[in-house]
Amino acid sequence: MTKNIGIVASSSEGASLCYRTICLEASAYMGEHNHPEITMSSVPLAEHLKFIKDDDWIGLAKSMAYAANKLADAGADFVICPDNTNHLAFHHLSQFTDMPFIHIAEAVILEASQKKYNNVGLLGTKFLMEGMVYQEYIERYDLIGTIPDEKDRETINKIIFEELVKGIILEESKLFLIEIINKLKDKKCDAVILGCTELPLIIDSESSPLPTLDSTRLLARAALKQAII
């Protein structure tokens, strides 16, 4: 028997990629056309953004916990949230739900450590790059974390919210992100975290000047592993 994976969805693009990855990669372990049961609660991105923009992490945690508790009622055994920025509320979740969550940054930084990367660049929303979601795990695994300059962070944030979450992929934005990754490479980074679940839609290991740590797929694989143990 496999466990039921609960997904608290925020961005439709990131959640869709995470869901699809679980379904596609499960066949290697479970046989063709097979995957663990998956239950999703899709919270409107607008609801989560109002909390994020107000730095209201308690409010965001309550909203995520409400979705997690609905997933528990529907049979989910544990929960993932394919939205990196939402993890700024992670430490408050236990106040409002007993559902176990897999932390996206832990899945990513564990992979970085296993691949013996030392200095990891971080791309994501402005809130994420300037917050502690990844820094906590970077320090725990004794790595170095590097983020783009302030002006570049603003542009990346704009690309995410005005394009990627809407499924808009522009070549000029891809070239800009490649330029940013080259800057991180110049800062001695040996890998780059795609710390926004939509970033793998525009940047992959072939186009990136640095090895990529795909947060969306790494979270999906962590969930798949937990579901089939």
Side-chain angles (χ1 to χ4, degrees):
M1 293 291 293
T2 60
K3 298 182 181 71
N4 183 319
I5 302 170
I7 299 179
V8 174
S10 186
S11 156
S12 60
E13 293 293 330
S16 297
L17 179 57
C18 189
Y19 168 80
R20 185 170 180 268
T21 300
I22 294 170
C23 294
L24 290 176
E25 297 194 7
S27 61
Y29 306 96
M30 299 176 63
E32 189 175 17
H33 307 308
N34 204 358
H35 62 76
E37 187 173 359
I38 301 168
T39 307
M40 184 183 294
S41 176
S42 183
V43 181
L45 179 58
E47 178 178 329
H48 286 168
L49 282 178
K50 69 182 180 184
F51 296 120
I52 291 170
K53 290 176 180 178
D54 289 339
D55 291 331
D56 183 2
W57 309 117
I58 295 290
L60 179 57
K62 286 180 179 179
S63 178
M64 292 171 64
Y66 175 75
N69 289 333
K70 286 205 299 184
L71 291 170
D73 291 340
D77 294 294
F78 65 93
V79 179
I80 58 174
C81 179
D83 189 302
N84 285 268
T85 302
N86 278 24
H87 284 70
L88 286 161
F90 194 86
H91 292 301
H92 301 294
L93 284 170
S94 61
Q95 299 176 49
F96 310 109
T97 182
D98 293 327
M99 281 294 283
F101 275 73
I102 296 177
H103 196 297
I104 194 168
E106 184 170 18
V108 173
I109 299 303
L110 177 60
E111 177 80 359
S113 178
Q114 290 175 342
K115 290 193 171 180
K116 302 190 182 305
Y117 295 133
N118 177 56
N119 186 339
V120 290
L122 175 61
L123 301 183
T125 67
K126 185 175 184 290
F127 309 98
L128 181 85
M129 291 184 285
E130 297 174 0
M132 288 297 292
V133 170
Y134 276 89
Q135 192 58 36
E136 176 182 346
Y137 288 94
I138 286 170
E139 292 174 1
R140 184 179 301 181
Y141 283 87
D142 199 26
L143 303 180
I144 300 168
T146 304
I147 61 175
D149 297 335
E150 182 177 3
K151 183 179 179 181
D152 290 336
R153 295 198 298 269
E154 294 286 351
T155 305
I156 295 167
N157 195 70
K158 184 177 179 181
I159 289 171
I160 290 169
F161 285 117
E162 296 186 9
E163 299 170 22
L164 300 185
V165 298
K166 300 175 182 179
I168 299 170
I169 308 298
L170 300 179
E171 183 65 20
E172 62 195 69
S173 296
K174 179 176 182 176
L175 293 175
F176 172 79
L177 292 169
I178 290 172
E179 179 184 345
I180 298 304
I181 297 172
N182 270 316
K183 289 182 181 180
L184 292 171
K185 187 175 183 179
D186 291 340
K187 294 181 179 180
K188 309 302 181 185
C189 291
D190 48 14
V192 60
I193 299 168
L194 303 182
C196 162
T197 50
E198 296 81 28
L199 280 171
L201 300 172
I202 192 169
I203 293 290
D204 57 24
S205 57
E206 293 184 1
S207 59
S208 173
L210 286 171
T212 59
L213 292 160
D214 180 338
S215 65
T216 315
R217 291 184 172 90
L218 288 170
L219 178 64
R221 289 164 190 157
L224 179 58
K225 181 178 179 181
Q226 183 158 318
I228 64 179
I229 288 176

